[in-house]
Amino acid sequence: MSRNQILAMSVVCCAFGALALAGPADSRTAAYGLNIVLAIACFFMAGRDLKARGWALGYLFAGAYILPLIGLIVYFALSDRPKVETASLVRG
């Protein structure tokens, strides 16, 4: 996934979190469930992306998705780094 797609998914996750807290009473459980599923997906996608950008502790930083809105802020701040190209080892 691209950085923009992960950020968009993070915003949607936050929106469902807000609905779970202050939305209509009959849809709070469903919104909370979707929030949890999206937070887990954001954790894995952001962790993989941060590792590709050279952050050795990418999954640790992506763990901020456990906290409401903090994961979005942490990922936005750290994902500005360009992706690191993996160099193949050539023996000769």
Side-chain angles (χ1 to χ4, degrees), residues 7 10 46 61-77:
L7 288 171
S10 299
F61 295 137
Y65 275 102
I66 294 171
L67 305 170
L69 190 62
I70 303 299
L72 172 63
I73 295 167
V74 169
Y75 178 74
F76 180 76

Side-chain angles (χ1 to χ4, degrees), residues 15-36:
F16 278 110
L19 281 174
L21 293 174
D26 58 342
S27 64
R28 286 184 182 177
T29 304
Y32 183 67
L34 285 171
N35 181 14
I36 295 296

Side-chain angles (χ1 to χ4, degrees), residues 6-63:
I6 295 171
L7 288 171
M9 187 168 59
S10 299
V11 169
V12 172
C13 180
C14 289
F16 278 110
L19 281 174
L21 293 174
D26 58 342
S27 64
R28 286 184 182 177
T29 304
Y32 183 67
L34 285 171
N35 181 14
I36 295 296
V37 169
L38 286 171
I40 292 169
C42 285
F43 166 75
F44 286 111
M45 295 297 131
R48 183 182 307 156
D49 187 63
L50 289 174
K51 297 261 310 167
R53 293 178 189 277
W55 293 102
L57 301 174
Y59 281 102
L60 181 65
F61 295 137

